Every structure is written in structure tokens, then in C-alpha cells.
Amino acid sequence: MGLLDSIKNVFGGGNPDEKGFEQAVYDTLKEYSANNTSFWNVNLNQTTAWTTEIKNWPDKKKVAFVQHLVKKIHHYTSGKRSWDSTDVNDQLNTVRQAYVQVLFRNTLLMDDEDAQQLYEVFSRYSMADWAFFTTWPVGLFLNQLEKQRKDKIISPQLKEVLLRFKTKISESSAAYQQKERIKMMDKIDAMLFKSENEASEIKPARFLGDDPFGSFANEQIESMATADKQFWYRLLPVVQKASGSKPSKKYADDTKVAIKEYGTDKYRKTVHEWLHFLVNLKETEEQHTVNYGSGQSYSYVSYDYITSVNADAVKGIVWTCSHFHDNATIQTIAALAERAFKKIPGKGPTAASLGNACLYTLYKSKGLDGIGQLSRLKMRIKQNSTQAMIEKYLQQAAIEQGVTVHEIEDMAVDDGGLEEGRRKFVFDDYTAELVITGVGKTEFKWYKPDGTLQKSVPAFVKEKHTAKLKKLKDTAKQIEQTLVAQRDRIDRMLRSDRKISKENFDKYYRQHGLMSWLSKNIIWNFHTGDSTAPAILVNNQWVNAGNELVDTSLADAISLWHPVHSSVAEIKAWRDFLVFHQILQPLKQAFREVYLLTDAEVNTRSYSNRMAAHLLRQHQFNSLAKARGWRYALMGAFDNGYDNGTASLLLPEYNLRAEYWINEVNADDAMNDTGIWNYVSTDQVRFTDTTTNTVVDLIDVNPLAFSETMRDVDLFVGVASVGNDPAWQDSGGLPAYRDYWASYSFGELSEVARNRKEILTGLVPRLKIKDVAEVKDKFLVVKGRLRTYKIHIGSTNILMEPNDQYLCIVQDRSQKNHTENIFLPFEGDNGLSIILSKAFLLVEDDKITDSTITSQIKRH
């Protein structure tokens, strides 16, 4: 006799219905197990016991069956269970749970008495010791009742049952069920309202979640005129059902009609206020302590921004904004996307589903302004999945326009109303001129009626034109953001050999109000047939490094000049030209580091160890990698935490994927509170052919692709290495890596540092400290009045003569910037600025008052 038959014999005696119900469960298991070996989840549609027998039972019998199942599940899970899916008793319980679900997923007609009995059994018997009331299929039960009582009066008996359901639902404290609980309670309210009011009366609707946004928006709705309130009462239940990654066509069409009937401008004004509230809303931080056995406790911090049920509703509202294409809406949606993807410690993006809705809406919005914002957000948002989504939308938009992704990004850049980097606004007889002053920098110049300059905003403008002045400031902010995004986009274009048609170059760069400012100080290659002539714009004329005019009229294509394709002499000529003419490039181009294949890399063939064996701060490395378009997942002491180990960069123009191998540093206290390793060590760089997934020998890698990849990796090491931290060793660091800190802090110069040395060699003789400062080997040597200092050109760390005593100076951002009036031929080298700031400070070491510094200087 088998185990199943032994269990079957137990069914004898007792209530005939109970016996029949258990027989049905037994028969179902026997039939199911004949064709299945997995019992973690049972699909009853694979059994005739359900499809041809139980499914056809009378509804009263089904209700009784549910009650029987609930009791049996409770008794089994409350006792000593095996949690073994091969245990027949556990399999029987899984079948019971499957029946409870499937009975409510199929039509189950219930009278008031049935509803009361089901409430009583759900509330009396829990699914398990840990389970809540809503662990039972309460939501499915309410769905059945809602359909069956539509347009009918709710009896006093059923009303009491529904109110009891609502009370029990509200008592459930499971955080993961919060959204479902709120929706269930709202469904009960809706059923009772419809029963007690005229069919034409609209139930007051509200944002259901208990959060600051819900309070703000609900208060606004209740203060509206009656007609406006009723519009939102009708619309909110619709947007609250927003689900999935994009709206259905019916949703888009229906909301468009409703908004048009209500008034587009009125709707847009309210929505803008709500979305701006969310953009400016800060998440709340709350400390929690959980006590458990033996007097121990666990503390953690939670961050709350918007409840999931309200996030769904806002997602639905954001989708409706795809009907609009005005600049204010596009910018608001883009700002909300950036806010939604802002990372919360230990959690990830603040509201990813809301951010995804914003990205979709930007993609679907009419015109190219939304695409322009997606291009900007691609440079701002770091999550791998979000980057992939933005890339997908850009590719789809490019296909729809019949152009490449590069081209649609060119087309979508907003000029901000600028002409050659300037824009004028009129305020009565006064004029305000918005002027680009640098990458991410603008300023306003105010002119009186007679044309003379006024130092500040006129008082009457602040008083009479508040809204217009705010719009000006918003425009300036948007232009600053666009400048940074486009500078970064052009910098990434240096990875490719992209050629732009002369027509598109003139239209989207030279004649573009914003891009003309960015592009004028960049060196471009002008291609005419088989010849190439590099040139830069000076006094509105194209000239070469010898300051000779270049005829560009016959050029058929234009590309970015890159030093990797040039001789040392040509690179030097361009660098000398920029310094002589004091041309500030918006990105590092002429002074860009070049990484050529070394003999060691030729010998290793398929990988480079040039950037191996460094110790990096993992979070900083992660941020740098994401900013440069690399994919990387933080490594931690958890399942699969060891399997990441690679930062990768796609180079689609070359069908290559660059990989930088990373290892966790597993040491005492070397992880944060969320289990992420604080430090990682670096390994080899290699390239893979993406068409064959095979490793490519370095000698076969395109020189430009190789140089740009190694430049990124050098940046990661140069910025994230613990050797750059002057306080790392003093603060304890990792004992096993103290030798690394010393060797890196004062070791050989990297390519970035060698480039920095070249700039300092030409720059120092023109500074006021020229008589007491000089470049020697790896250091900028500065003679102070008390001691002589050697500032390492790579790490920026300091040694003091005569005994090479280490001097720790932590950068103070509040101190005066000594380099702000010094001409540097490019933006973005923070290390160079730190070296010069330290040099100016130490030249007058007798005037230093910071005791943490003076105590070290005076210690011999």
C-alpha cells in the first residue's frame, strides 16, 4: 500500500462533505503527480479533477469547499510541517492553496450569507503563523462581489460584512502588501458609495497613499470648483489603474478626449504643479530598531518618497503628458525623471517605475524636444537598466526619423533661443542679455534704456515681472544643463571616427545658437575627397595650427580631430597654438592623453596589465565608470556578489566590448552596512568581438578605440585609487595595502600625470610663484619660507624636504581658489587645480594658520 493510499484511508468517517472535499484534493494530487514532479506551484488546469468536475460544482458547494480548504490549510501550516516538496502532505497542502486561488479566479456567485461565511473563515483561520488576513485571496473575493453587485443595492448584512473586511484589511501591517491593501479598501468604499447614492452621482476620488504628495494633491482637488473636482473624481480612478511599462492605445485615446473636454491648459497647469512638487520633494529618513531573541536588536534606516499606490497614479498622469509637446511640460517631465532615478542609499532609484514612465513620455512626445532630454538624461542617469532603456528609445526614434542615433541627437539639441551663445529679453525699456560664459555657466547682463550696463536686476523687474524673471532663470538653468550634456556627448564622440555631412555640421553645430558656442573652440577635421585638413575657428575664420587660413568650402564631411591619429609634432603645434591664443577648449582635445600599444602588451597579446594591481574605492569607481558609459555592478558579500567582477564598455562602431576585470578586497571591516565591499583591486583590460564573442588580440584593436578605453581606465585609477587620498594611511586604511599607498602616492607618473607635467612645465614660468617653484621629475617643487615641498604631479600628495616627511593636506573647498584667474587650455582636470592651489598655499607657509598643517611643518 502506497503513501497516497494510506492517506486516502484516513478519509473514512466524519462529515460526508468533508470526506468528499478531501477525496477531491487527493484525486487531484494523484492525477497531477502522474505527469509532474514539481509541486512548488500546481497548475490545476492540467487536471480533469478541476476542469471537468469541481469547476462545474454548484456555487454553494464551491463556497463550502473554500471554507473547508481554508481550515485544512490553517491546521497544516500551524502544525509541524516539513517544507519538503517531496512530502505528500506538503503536496496536498499545495493543491489546497491552488484551489483557493482558482475558485476565486473563476466565476463564483455568492449571496450575502456566503460572503459572511467567507469573511468569518478568512478572519478566524490564518494561512500560517506569519501570515496576514490579506494573505488569503481577499482581493479576488472583492473583485467577484464588485461584479456581482454592480448597480445593485448593498443589503445591511453585506454592508456590515464589507465594513468588517475593510477593518481587517487596514489592520494588516505587511509593507509589501501596502498598495494592494489600499486598493482593496478603496474598492469597498466604491461599492458602498454606489449602493447608497444615485447612479449619476460621482464618488469623490483621491490619491490613496498616505504621503506628502497625496496630501498636497488631495487638498488642491478639494479646493477646486465643483466641475473641476468632478473631472478629477472621474479621472483619478482611471490613472490609478496604470500598470505595465506603457499605456494601452485605449488609455491614451480616452485620456486625450477627457483632457480636451476639460481644457488642456487647465489640466496642464494642475499637473505641472503636482509634478514640480514631486521634483522638489525630499525623501524622509526614518530610523528603525527591531528587537529579537537574547536581548539583541537590529537597526536600519528607511527612506520614503511616495507610496507605491500614488506612484502608480502619477505614472498614469505622466503618460497623459505625451499628448503635449510644449517646452515647459517636456522640461518638467525630464526633471521628474532625474528626480525619480536619484539613488537612495541601500534601496536604489527613488521611484524607478515613475522614472520609466517619464522616459516613455519623453520618447512619445511630439517633436524632438523629448528626444533631446533623453539624450541629456543618458549622460546624467547611471543605472544600467535605465541606460539601456534610454538607448532603446533613442534607437527607435532614430529609426522612425530614418537617421542614426548620432544624427537624431544632433537634431534634438534645444538652442534655448540663443544666437551665437546669447539671447536678449525685453522688460519695458530695459534689456536683459543671457550670455554663455563657460560649460554649464551663464550670466545675465542688464542694460538701461540708454544702453549702459546696470549691475543688478532692476527693482521694477522684481516687482512687476516676477513670472517672466523666473522664466528667464529657468531658461538659463536649462541652457547650463544642455551645455554640460552636449560637452559630454561630444567628448564621447571622440571614441568614434564619426563623420558629419557638411550640411548637418553647418545646421546642427555652426549655425546652432548653443552648439555654435561649444564647437567654435574645438579642432575639426575637414574632409575633401581623400584629403583631410584640421582647423579651428578663430575670429570667425578656420585656421590650422600654423595660424594659416583653411578653405573649408569644398569639404564634404567633418569629423573631430583626435591626437591618436597625429604625429607628436602636430600635437605639440596645436597645444602651443591654444596656449598662445589663450583658447579654452570645452573638453580635453589637443591636450588629450594618448595610449599606444606597448611592447609588453604586444607580448601578452590578448590583454593589458597596464592598469592592474591598483586598489580603488569601489563606490567612487562605480560612479566614474557609469559617468563614462561603462556597465558595472557593485560587488558585495552576498549571493552572486563574486560573479560581477567586470566593468564593460560597448564600442559598437568597432563591434567591440572592452572589459576591465575587478576583484573584491575581502578584508576585516572592508564593507559598508549594505554588504558592499569598500575596495576593489584591478586586473587586466581586454577586448571582445561582439559578433563572435571571442577575445581580440590587442594589436588588432582600432588604435582610437584602444586609446580611449585605456584613457577611461587610467581615469578610474587616477581618481578612485586610495593612493590619491592624503588621509587614507593616517586613518588606518587596510594594513595589507599600505605599501601600495606609498608606491602610488609618490610613484611613476601615469599618462594623465605626464600630460599634467607638460602643462605645468609651460605654465609655472608664467606664474607669480615662478621664482620659488619648478617642475622636477615627478614633482612640482615649491620653496616656502619654512620648508621646501615636493607635490607629486600624479597623486597631488606632498613630501617635505630634507627628510621626505609626508605632509597631509585635505582639500578645503571653502578656501580661496588660487587658480581661478590662471589660463588653462581645457576644462576638467581637478588634479591640476589642486596641485596649483597647494603650491600657492605652501609658498607662504609662514602665513598658514591651520594647526593640522602647521604642526606637521614644524615637526622635524
Side-chain angles (χ1 to χ4, degrees), residues 627-671:
R628 294 295 299 165
W630 289 63
R631 292 182 180 273
Y632 178 72
L634 287 168
M635 300 174 69
F638 42 77
D639 289 347
N640 297 324
Y642 295 96
D643 294 339
N644 304 317
T646 303
S648 62
L649 173 68
L650 283 177
L651 299 163
E653 295 91 346
Y654 312 100
N655 293 322
L656 290 175
R657 180 177 66 251
E659 297 177 353
Y660 190 26
W661 290 10
I662 305 296
N663 302 301
E664 81 286 346
V665 175
N666 186 350
D668 293 340
D669 300 321
M671 69 177 70

Side-chain angles (χ1 to χ4, degrees), residues 195-429:
S195 172
E196 297 170 357
N197 294 274
E198 295 292 333
S200 59
E201 191 167 348
I202 301 171
K203 174 185 174 292
R206 67 193 192 288
F207 287 95
L208 301 174
D210 182 14
D211 58 37
F213 169 77
S215 300
F216 173 76
N218 287 335
E219 186 176 328
Q220 277 204 337
I221 292 172
E222 292 309 311
S223 66
M224 292 177 180
T226 301
D228 295 336
K229 276 196 288 194
Q230 289 185 343
F231 166 78
W232 287 106
Y233 289 169
R234 288 191 297 270
L235 186 67
L236 281 183
V238 175
V239 299
Q240 284 166 349
K241 295 177 182 177
S243 61
S245 59
K246 60 182 180 181
S248 65
K249 185 178 185 304
K250 183 178 186 306
Y251 179 93
D253 292 343
D254 289 351
T255 54
K256 184 177 183 178
V257 171
I259 292 167
K260 187 175 181 179
E261 290 176 355
Y262 175 63
T264 300
D265 290 341
K266 187 160 52 171
Y267 177 82
R268 190 161 42 201
K269 181 177 182 296
T270 299
V271 169
H272 282 191
E273 289 181 17
W274 291 353
L275 300 188
H276 278 297
F277 179 89
L278 281 170
V279 170
N280 298 316
L281 180 64
K282 299 186 185 306
E283 60 270 12
T284 58
E285 179 180 333
E286 186 175 354
Q287 296 279 346
H288 303 269
T289 299
V290 178
N291 297 310
Y292 51 97
S294 305
Q296 295 179 309
S297 63
Y298 169 69
S299 297
Y300 66 97
V301 179
S302 68
Y303 298 86
D304 294 312
Y305 174 67
I306 185 172
T307 55
S308 57
V309 68
N310 280 352
D312 281 351
V314 176
K315 180 169 76 170
I317 289 172
V318 167
W319 281 343
T320 67
C321 292
S322 62
H323 303 312
F324 313 134
H325 57 275
D326 61 287
N327 195 257
T329 299
I330 297 296
Q331 289 184 20
T332 300
I333 296 294
L336 181 57
E338 199 164 345
R339 176 66 186 90
F341 285 115
K342 179 185 174 185
K343 190 173 181 182
I344 292 178
K347 176 183 177 182
T350 302
S353 64
L354 186 52
N356 291 339
C358 292
L359 299 182
Y360 173 83
T361 299
L362 292 173
Y363 158 62
K364 292 298 289 184
S365 61
K366 186 179 178 181
L368 290 174
D369 287 347
I371 301 302
Q373 289 294 339
L374 284 177
S375 179
R376 182 183 72 82
L377 291 170
K378 184 174 72 172
M379 303 293 173
R380 297 281 299 166
I381 299 171
K382 311 305 181 189
Q383 289 88 354
N384 290 337
S385 58
T386 308
Q387 285 277 325
M389 182 177 293
I390 293 174
E391 288 285 358
K392 182 188 75 172
Y393 286 145
L394 290 175
Q395 289 169 5
Q396 289 176 352
I399 291 170
E400 291 164 8
Q401 294 285 333
V403 297
T404 66
V405 171
H406 278 310
E407 287 170 336
I408 200 167
E409 288 189 281
D410 285 342
M411 296 161 60
V413 181
D414 183 5
D415 65 9
L418 298 166
E419 292 185 11
E420 296 185 351
R422 296 172 177 268
R423 180 178 175 182
K424 291 184 178 180
F425 302 84
V426 176
F427 291 81
D428 296 346
D429 294 333

